[in-house]
Amino acid sequence: MTQPLPNPPASAPSARSLSAPPVFAMAERDGARLTLRAAEGGHVAHLFVLEDDIVRVMVLPGGRLRSPRSWTVAPGAEDVPAEGRDRFDLTGFSCPAFTVEEGAGTLVVATARLRLTVALTGLFCRWETLVRGTWHAVAADRPTQTYNFGWWDERVYHYLKRDAADEMYFGLGERAGTSDRHGQSYRMSNLDAMGYNARTTDPLYKHIPFYITWKKSAQVPLGIFYDTLSDCSFDMGRELDNYHGHYRYFVADAGDLDYYIIAGSAPADITRRFTWLTGRPAFMPKWSLGYSGSTMTYTDAPDAQDRMNEFLAKCEEHDILCDSFHLSSGYTSIADKRYVFHWNRDKFPDPAAFARHYLDHGVRLCANIKPCLLRDHPRFEGAVREGLLVRDPDGSPAMVQFWDEAGAYLDFTNPKTLDWWKARVKEALLEPGIAATWNDNNEFEIWSDRAQAAGFGTPFPACDAKPLHTLLMIRASRQAQQEFAPDVRPFLISRAGAAGMQRYVQTWSGDNYTSWETLKYNVRMGTGLALSGVSNTGHDIGGFSGPAPDAELFLRWVQFGIFLPRFSIHSWNDDKTVNEPWMYPEITPSISRLIKLRARLIPYLYDLLWRYHTSYEPMIRPTFLDFPEDPRCFDENDEMLLGPNLLVAPVVEPGRRDREVYLPAGTDWYDAWTGECFTGGRSVTLAAPLDRPPLLARAGCAIPLNLAEQHFNRGADERGFALFPHRGVGAFQAGCYEDDGDSEAYRNGDHGCWAVAVATGADRLTVTLDKEGARPPAATSLTLLLPPQERRALEIAGGTVASDRIADGWRTVVVTLTGS
């Protein structure tokens, strides 16, 4: 494919058309929508006032809407129709009151938090937001040739001014390199980027055309989301052109210019609002947060079922906790190729018995499925006859390269394909006892402009919206699971995706290359994705492609991975070895302890998942998201917050036995291992022995824990809280969501929570404990853990102290709950 030219090509139309930008006037006001029309050329612009903090602009050169439906916008909703949402449908938005003022060639549209000034000659937009009682200029279109009014080609353009000294840019989903995107350029064209370099490779697997601008001097953010599923590019200041001043730009190969401006007082406001805009994150079962085993090697072996069963035996031998296993596509093989929904009965003689064996050990199977049928697939000819594949104009399948063979992608814009897919998922996987679908190799690499998608009755070039097939595929997989077991919460994984994917799946950063550099930059890749609405995510721990990790790299990667929402060790090493918890006997006990630490943190992770689902709060985030007033948090770093209260500082360099960590200002921080407390706003050097990851807890928090003794295949749950109180006078509250962990009963209010309130004084801690909700926790006692240095007197409301002692390095207080 040709790469887009960022600026107008030399063959642009006549000088007259460029020197005479269109002049617009307001033509219509219909509720929340204002329509502007140009005096010549038929150009139209629509302004939508959707919320006090969201205003949308749709620019239609020639008045033509090319893509009349959206699959990414779903305000507060869990889904959109298969055929998409009409772009003029404002359902779900509050559409607040706003003012409109016209005069002197301008139009000013204002809400309580956003003000848009439009210069009607050329349609140049300037944006201001109200933050801390003051209006701040936050963005403006480039004054020279902002939009493509038929001047250059058929692509979609938007140019904005860029302040090289004052602006930082964050987001754009899953990207390699630095967290701040300023000065870089990126291409969104989902690819199977096996063995990617986490510092340099672009593009990658996901399509999320959204970013946050941060104005450093005023400390004001702004979000911008381009609602397109076309391949597109962003230049964030890498390109310079003397004729236009400093600028940044977006260009899409097809579709329309339809963008949303999102205001907020802090970056966290923008991320939450964007997540809400693109849909409610899926609330997945609790087991999805446990360790998930995986490797391609087992299922590629001729004795695959024996190798898979050996994994369970090894978990038991080494006491490795495991909740699920990602079944790689070798189970579908014929020779060395993959045939989706086909079980290789030589490798797996009895899939149902195999699945039962895993379930008997408490391990659920997540089976790999792919959306392309190879030309010699047993179902290929039937799919051709039924018209289920992306097709060339003559009706023949649009053939693509897929793994080591040619094949054709299923066309998920055809309702018959959706039904076919759901039926195959049920009969091939769910009926034999597979618990979940692993939607893989679903980047839909369709490069021919001849290939046609059915488009739900309105065919279009399939390459114009490849991620649409990805979204519809994972949506269909989720529906199959819901239809098969309507009372059970579905769990799905997908490698590729687009804005809105959080409604359906958990994800990961794809087939990373094994290196220390990958570990370092995967940290930033994950937080950038979380800023962009998708935070139920992780990485292939240990590295997927390339050399096997040595013992130190593997151990450090596991130390980081246990703090991610998705924790899976997955590999395809060059030397055919497997990344397994026991791959290095000298560190296997440490790996076992780390996975048990992960299990201890499951109540905290599950509470974060609930808050992500209900309040759109990202599960992981960069430190600046919670501490935007601290400029140093915006510096490039290798740190990450897990929820608001745990600061994770992975060791990302070989040979290190300590780690310098910057502690965000505005709070104290506890070393979670020693209990030592530090004042924020400075760097400290923490010990980082091989068996322990640096970890800090924010002063004024309570971390819910599972304190039950854990062993493979013998899970238990005993609630406790680690308290990290203020050192002086202060107070804080915390909670922990509780339900059965698996069913859909939570939708009917069948859940509860713990409520913990802590007031601190000079010589006393007062802790108030309560159980709330329609189904409050049933426990009759609760264990509180405090740093060993914490010796203030303890007063309990809602219970009585049964014991108070130092155990395993913690002040351990067992409380008998009142009324239990």
Side-chain angles (χ1 to χ4, degrees):
M1 296 180 66
T2 57
Q3 295 298 306
L5 294 173
N7 276 313
S11 59
S14 68
R16 179 180 181 278
S17 65
L18 291 178
S19 61
V23 179
F24 286 81
M26 191 158 84
E28 183 182 355
R29 178 171 180 172
D30 181 8
R33 174 164 57 95
L34 304 177
T35 299
L36 311 181
R37 297 187 185 278
E40 297 180 0
H43 310 307
V44 174
H46 299 286
L47 311 178
F48 301 84
V49 180
L50 304 175
E51 304 287 340
D52 281 333
D53 56 353
I54 302 178
V55 173
R56 173 183 166 203
V57 178
M58 180 193 292
V59 181
L60 304 178
R64 175 187 169 204
L65 181 62
R66 304 177 187 179
S67 300
R69 308 193 73 82
S70 169
W71 284 263
T72 57
V73 171
E78 294 186 32
D79 205 354
V80 296
E83 66 276 12
R85 172 190 174 105
D86 188 288
R87 287 189 184 268
F88 289 95
D89 180 1
L90 304 188
T91 302
F93 294 107
S94 67
C95 300
F98 62 97
T99 62
V100 180
E101 297 180 9
E102 295 183 75
T106 63
L107 183 75
V108 180
V109 180
T111 74
R113 301 188 64 184
L114 257 176
R115 188 158 63 199
L116 164 62
T117 301
V118 182
L120 295 173
T121 298
L123 200 73
F124 300 112
C125 297
R126 187 175 75 251
W127 300 90
E128 300 167 276
T129 63
L130 185 65
V131 178
R132 295 178 291 276
T134 302
W135 286 98
H136 296 269
V138 286
D141 287 343
R142 189 180 76 175
T144 52
Q145 303 165 2
T146 295
Y147 306 113
N148 180 16
F149 291 113
W151 293 336
W152 310 318
D153 51 35
E154 293 301 311
R155 286 173 291 188
V156 176
Y157 295 80
H158 185 204
Y159 290 89
L160 290 158
K161 284 184 178 180
R162 175 175 58 88
D163 189 327
D166 192 45
E167 290 179 344
M168 306 177 81
Y169 310 119
F170 300 96
L172 293 176
E174 177 188 78
R175 305 257 70 86
T178 58
S179 298
D180 181 7
R181 314 304 190 192
H182 199 149
Q184 305 298 315
S185 60
Y186 304 93
R187 177 79 173 152
M188 288 189 186
S189 180
N190 295 3
L191 293 178
D192 182 349
M194 180 174 172
Y196 66 83
N197 183 308
R199 182 177 60 85
T200 61
T201 298
D202 185 82
L204 291 171
Y205 303 91
K206 297 176 181 67
H207 179 102
I208 306 181
F210 161 81
Y211 67 94
I212 298 171
T213 297
W214 176 247
K215 305 285 282 188
K216 292 184 284 186
S217 58
Q219 294 191 326
V220 174
L222 190 76
I224 184 167
F225 168 56
Y226 294 94
D227 184 9
T228 182
L229 290 170
S230 169
D231 284 1
C232 57
S233 297
F234 287 83
D235 190 293
M236 313 308 289
R238 185 175 184 178
E239 178 182 285
L240 296 173
D241 186 332
N242 180 55
Y243 301 120
H244 299 281
H246 287 158
Y247 57 88
R248 49 191 154 115
Y249 69 84
F250 158 85
V251 56
D253 292 357
D256 304 289
L257 182 59
D258 187 4
Y259 66 93
Y260 293 72
I261 294 291
I262 307 173
S265 298
D269 300 333
I270 308 294
T271 287
R272 283 192 299 268
R273 201 53 153 160
F274 173 67
T275 309
W276 171 85
L277 175 66
T278 52
R280 187 175 299 280
F283 187 45
M284 295 187 171
K286 185 182 286 187
W287 62 262
S288 69
L289 298 170
Y291 162 54
S292 187
S294 187
T295 179
M296 285 183 64
T297 304
Y298 294 168
T299 58
D300 278 358
D303 56 346
Q305 188 161 329
D306 291 339
R307 293 293 304 275
M308 288 290 299
N309 291 338
E310 286 173 9
F311 175 82
L312 294 179
K314 287 287 189 179
C315 284
E316 189 160 15
E317 176 187 345
H318 297 290
D319 201 17
I320 302 295
L321 307 181
C322 183
D323 286 295
S324 65
F325 192 95
H326 284 64
L327 189 66
S328 288
S329 57
Y331 80 94
T332 69
S333 65
I334 300 174
D336 59 350
K337 293 182 288 188
R338 271 65 172 162
Y339 299 83
V340 64
F341 301 130
H342 164 81
W343 280 92
N344 182 322
R345 296 300 178 123
D346 294 328
K347 294 181 180 181
F348 295 92
D350 188 340
F354 165 61
R356 273 197 311 274
H357 181 63
Y358 259 69
L359 286 172
D360 288 345
H361 287 78
V363 181
R364 294 165 174 84
L365 290 170
C366 312
N368 186 287
I369 48 178
K370 306 180 189 301
C372 188
L373 301 186
L374 301 183
R375 59 185 168 189
D376 57 350
H377 192 293
R379 298 182 184 272
F380 185 84
E381 292 302 326
V384 172
R385 287 194 300 272
E386 295 179 51
L388 306 181
L389 305 173
V390 175
R391 295 187 284 185
D392 282 334
D394 63 2
S396 63
M399 302 303 289
V400 298
Q401 182 65 43
F402 193 80
W403 282 51
D404 299 323
E405 181 57 276
Y409 284 108
L410 289 157
D411 182 356
F412 286 89
T413 68
N414 180 348
K416 289 175 59 179
T417 305
L418 298 175
D419 292 339
W420 182 92
W421 182 263
K422 290 192 292 182
R424 302 292 81 72
V425 168
K426 293 173 190 175
E427 74 177 11
L429 304 177
L430 303 182
E431 290 176 8
I434 300 298
T437 55
W438 170 12
N439 297 260
D440 198 17
N441 298 98
N442 53 347
E443 291 76 27
F444 286 86
E445 293 190 26
I446 301 169
W447 306 114
S448 168
D449 58 6
R450 299 174 65 250
Q452 294 286 304
F456 298 99
T458 306
F460 67 90
C463 64
D464 283 359
K466 292 175 288 185
L468 171 57
H469 290 280
T470 306
L471 286 175
L472 292 172
M473 172 192 175
I474 58 182
R475 180 183 184 274
S477 296
R478 185 171 187 265
Q479 284 189 333
Q481 294 178 224
Q482 289 173 314
E483 292 170 7
F484 183 81
D487 297 327
V488 177
R489 247 177 276 167
F491 173 59
L492 298 88
I493 315 97
S494 179
R495 186 174 72 182
M501 66 183 294
Q502 74 274 3
R503 303 189 299 255
Y504 312 118
V505 294
Q506 183 189 77
T507 189
W508 86 106
S509 62
D511 297 344
N512 52 3
Y513 185 79
T514 303
S515 70
W516 285 94
E517 183 176 66
T518 300
L519 171 58
K520 178 184 181 73
Y521 282 95
N522 270 170
V523 178
R524 304 166 200 215
M525 189 177 290
T527 55
L529 186 58
L531 286 173
S532 309
V534 181
S535 68
N536 190 353
T537 184
H539 314 286
D540 278 348
I541 301 306
F544 177 81
S545 171
D550 63 28
E552 182 185 9
L553 176 56
F554 184 60
L555 185 57
R556 293 304 194 190
W557 218 319
V558 171
Q559 288 177 1
F560 170 52
I562 62 171
F563 298 111
L564 294 167
R566 170 180 168 83
F567 174 49
S568 180
I569 299 171
H570 183 42
S571 61
W572 179 246
N573 298 335
D574 290 347
D575 63 1
K576 307 306 180 186
T577 59
V578 180
N579 293 354
E580 300 162 311
W582 45 85
M583 68 186 298
Y584 294 109
E586 67 273 22
I587 63 170
T588 299
S590 294
I591 299 292
S592 177
R593 287 192 295 271
L594 286 165
I595 293 176
K596 288 181 178 179
L597 173 60
R598 164 69 172 214
R600 177 171 278 210
L601 286 168
I602 291 296
Y604 181 59
L605 287 160
Y606 193 54
D607 187 67
L608 294 178
L609 182 62
W610 173 250
R611 294 173 188 272
Y612 181 40
H613 171 71
T614 56
S615 303
Y616 310 99
E617 302 221 4
M619 299 178 71
I620 60 173
R621 45 284 235 347
T623 55
F624 70 73
L625 206 70
D626 289 70
F627 299 93
E629 70 284 352
D630 185 347
R632 284 198 59 184
C633 289
F634 289 88
D635 294 343
E636 291 296 321
N637 63 72
D638 306 315
E639 300 163 14
M640 177 191 82
L641 285 170
L642 175 58
N645 296 322
L646 291 181
L647 178 56
V648 178
V651 176
V652 296
E653 297 172 350
R656 297 300 301 265
R657 299 297 180 266
D658 58 20
R659 170 70 154 82
E660 184 177 291
V661 184
Y662 177 73
L663 306 179
T667 187
D668 293 339
W669 294 91
Y670 284 90
D671 185 319
W673 303 110
T674 68
E676 185 177 1
C677 196
F678 306 95
T679 302
R682 63 190 178 111
S683 295
V684 298
T685 299
L686 300 178
L690 275 177
D691 62 346
R692 193 177 77 200
L695 180 67
L696 295 115
R698 186 175 183 167
C701 79
I703 305 295
L705 301 170
N706 179 5
L707 298 180
E709 186 175 352
Q710 299 284 318
H711 298 286
F712 174 69
N713 201 24
R714 297 192 300 279
D717 194 11
E718 178 186 321
R719 191 64 61 249
F721 283 86
L723 304 184
F724 296 95
H726 297 291
R727 287 191 286 182
V729 175
F732 66 91
Q733 295 180 329
C736 178
Y737 175 83
E738 303 276 359
D739 66 10
D740 61 23
D742 194 59
S743 80
E744 294 280 9
Y746 76 93
R747 295 183 182 276
N748 301 318
D750 189 10
H751 55 79
C753 69
W754 291 95
V756 179
V758 179
T760 62
D763 56 5
R764 180 175 298 277
L765 301 180
T766 301
V767 180
T768 302
L769 302 174
D770 198 5
K771 297 185 291 184
E772 301 174 344
R775 194 178 73 173
T780 59
S781 66
L782 191 69
T783 300
L784 305 178
L785 304 179
L786 294 99
Q789 300 90 335
E790 181 55 75
R791 302 309 301 161
R792 283 175 283 189
L794 191 62
E795 180 179 300
I796 302 292
T800 58
V801 175
S803 65
D804 186 345
R805 61 195 178 93
I806 299 295
D808 297 326
W810 291 83
R811 181 182 175 186
T812 304
V813 181
V814 178
V815 177
T816 301
L817 299 169
T818 303
S820 296

